[in-house]
Structures are given as C-alpha cells and as structure tokens.
Amino acid sequence: MGFKRRAASLLTVGATLGISLMGFSATSANAAAPCGFPEVVANNSSASFYFNKNTTLRRDPYADCDSKGVFAKGQRFFVWCYVNNFNGNTWYYGRINGTQTKGWVSSNSVTGYEGSSKKCPQG
C-alpha cells in the first residue's frame, strides 16, 4: 500500500507541475510580439507619406519590437511595402527621406499618403 500511495502522490505532483508549466508557456508565448521578421530587401512600391506625430521606427512590425529611433512629425517616409501583422494592424516598411535608415512604422502614424504600395514578400 505504501508504494501505491507514493506513486499516486508523485503522479499528482507531476501532473500538477506539468499543467502549471504548460499554462506558463502558453501565456508567455502569447504575450511576446513575434519580432524577427524577415528583412525586406527590395522596394516594390511607389508610395510615400509624412509622420502625423513623433514616430518610432521599429525593427519589426510590432510596437513591442526594438526601436531604430524616433523621428519628428512631418518627416517624409518612402514606403517599400506593407504587412498586416498577427494583431491585424497595418505596418509599412521603408526608408526615412534623406537617409539610408530603414524600418517599420504603424499605419496610425501617417498622413498625406501618396502613390501605391504592395504587400511585402513573405519569407
């Protein structure tokens, strides 16, 4: 009887720990933005716009990803392409006017959109 009780206790502890760890992993994975988007290497659009507020240029198309700097309201941005991220938000990849600085900006940071843009190639 002693062996069966110990085995049952170990199984209960193991199952509880396993469920706790599974819950922790799922929560952690959902909370993090999927930074590490493939680099865009070709300009396939003719669009440009201006920032409607001081705007953070991002390394990837999510607000939680690394910053490449903050640029002033009114700064012109040349669009290379766009994506709709996993949150359903539109982000543009492109270059800051007068520089070789490239990165991502959210569609709610832009005004005065001119030209046309195409979706970024995936992968």
Side-chain angles (χ1 to χ4, degrees):
M1 286 300 245
F3 174 75
K4 287 183 180 180
R5 279 190 184 160
R6 276 186 267 154
S9 293
L10 285 174
L11 286 174
T12 302
V13 169
T16 303
L17 182 59
I19 291 169
S20 296
L21 290 175
M22 284 178 15
F24 178 75
S25 297
T27 302
S28 298
N30 291 337
C35 301
F37 197 81
E39 183 178 358
V40 176
V41 294
N43 181 352
N44 68 1
S45 298
S46 64
S48 70
F49 53 69
Y50 298 88
F51 295 148
N52 62 14
K53 58 186 174 185
N54 290 346
T55 299
T56 302
L57 191 69
R58 300 281 176 190
R59 291 193 188 282
D60 297 287
Y62 291 89
D64 292 340
C65 295
D66 290 342
S67 168
K68 295 185 84 177
V70 177
F71 295 87
K73 177 181 178 179
Q75 176 69 56
R76 190 170 187 188
F77 184 82
F78 292 99
V79 177
W80 286 28
C81 61
Y82 73 92
V83 297
N84 294 314
N85 69 16
F86 293 123
N87 298 330
N89 300 316
T90 301
W91 285 73
Y92 297 102
Y93 181 85
R95 179 180 61 80
I96 300 291
N97 184 42
T99 75
Q100 290 302 312
T101 304
K102 296 182 255 319
W104 294 93
V105 296
S106 172
S107 62
N108 56 5
S109 297
V110 307
T111 190
Y113 193 91
E114 300 172 351
S116 64
S117 60
K118 296 180 182 176
K119 278 197 154 188
C120 297
Q122 298 293 308

